[in-house]
Amino acid sequence: IVAWLALGLLGLVRSRHLPYVSRVLFPAGGAVGLTLAAVAVAAIGAPPQAIVLPLGLPDLPFHLRIDALSAFFLALLGATGAAVSVYSAGYFRASDGAAPGLVCLEYHAFLAAMALVLVADDAYVFMVAWETMALASYFLVTTEHRIPEIRRAGFLYLTIAHVGAIAILLCFGVLQGGSGDYTFEAMRAIALPGAWPSVAFFLALMGFGAKAGHRQTTPGATLARAAGVERLVLTHLDSSINAVDP
């Protein structure tokens, strides 16, 4: 995650230098993806590991967790990200929109946010990563912002993404069951009564489905669909929903 963010920031150093961005930074991002895939594959058979980072708000630190499931999708993200990085080098080089270094920042921030979504272990860090991914994806969608149709498509995407984010927030509110604890571990231990499990499911379906159903044509959007981010997030919540009493 840190390596992808660093590569993105390096794109601002020489933001309009095409060879530097397309021949150095994007291939380096692909190498980071391959490294992530290799490490994630090795972690699939390892015991789950969790860590609490002193980031975020005073009473809401970042809870991160990697297990076999998240490691599998991290491997998928790393491998797919490597392939898309190679393609992106040529795709954005031919673009007449934003400076290539700025696109490099947006793209690698998108990858880093996606990886953070996969290892998030509480609702707060999840929403931070999810919204960062949505905003980075919006800027990627509107790279060629001089075209009115693309600006309209970007606005539509951002609107749908934030409507979905509201549904996800409501879903987390249901899953925490009034306990006030928004870690996924606490949510898995909550037994929701009555129809609340179904309410949580449909809110999740609405939230993640809104993003999955919007068609985009940039490499970043292709990566989001290929990596199955929305389905992964649903799987993160699956054990929470399955843990409730019928």
Side-chain angles (χ1 to χ4, degrees):
I1 294 173
V2 174
W4 271 330
L5 287 176
L7 287 172
L9 292 174
L10 286 174
L12 298 179
V13 176
R14 304 170 70 182
S15 63
R16 296 194 176 276
H17 195 273
L18 283 173
Y20 168 67
V21 174
S22 63
R23 299 176 186 174
V24 177
L25 297 184
F26 274 109
V32 172
L34 289 177
T35 303
L36 173 63
V39 173
V41 168
I44 290 178
Q49 298 184 24
I51 187 173
V52 179
L53 299 180
L55 301 174
L57 300 177
D59 295 328
L60 291 172
F62 283 7
H63 294 79
L64 306 180
R65 185 175 187 269
I66 184 170
D67 52 22
L69 179 63
S70 58
F72 170 78
F73 281 99
L74 282 171
L76 180 63
L77 170 63
T80 310
V84 174
S85 293
V86 173
Y87 173 77
S88 297
Y91 179 91
F92 291 119
R93 183 169 58 240
S95 172
D96 294 326
L102 184 59
V103 174
C104 177
L105 172 62
E106 296 160 0
Y107 173 71
H108 288 102
F110 177 78
L111 288 176
M114 190 183 301
L116 187 58
V117 165
L118 304 185
V119 297
D121 199 35
D122 68 68
Y124 175 60
V125 65
F126 176 91
M127 291 307 303
V128 169
W130 184 262
E131 284 298 285
T132 302
M133 187 177 70
L135 289 173
S137 183
Y138 163 75
F139 287 116
L140 288 172
V141 168
T142 57
T143 297
E144 298 179 0
H145 52 80
R146 295 181 180 87
I147 302 174
E149 290 79 6
I150 290 181
R151 292 199 299 269
R152 286 195 292 269
F155 178 77
L156 177 62
Y157 165 78
L158 198 62
T159 302
I160 294 174
H162 282 85
V163 169
I166 293 173
I168 295 170
L169 279 172
L170 293 174
C171 174
F172 286 142
V174 172
L175 289 176
Q176 59 89 24
S179 66
D181 190 340
Y182 286 87
T183 62
F184 291 164
E185 180 180 5
M187 292 182 189
R188 285 190 286 268
I190 295 293
L192 297 176
W196 286 112
S198 297
V199 172
F201 171 78
F202 283 111
L203 285 171
L205 184 64
M206 180 187 303
F208 301 123
K211 198 173 193 318
H214 185 71
R215 294 188 61 83
Q216 306 166 47
T217 58
T218 64
T222 303
L223 179 59
R225 290 194 292 268
V229 173
E230 293 83 5
R231 288 170 178 78
L232 172 73
V233 175
L234 284 172
T235 309
H236 262 304
L237 300 177
D238 181 65
S239 55
S240 300
I241 297 175
N242 285 339
V244 301
D245 291 333

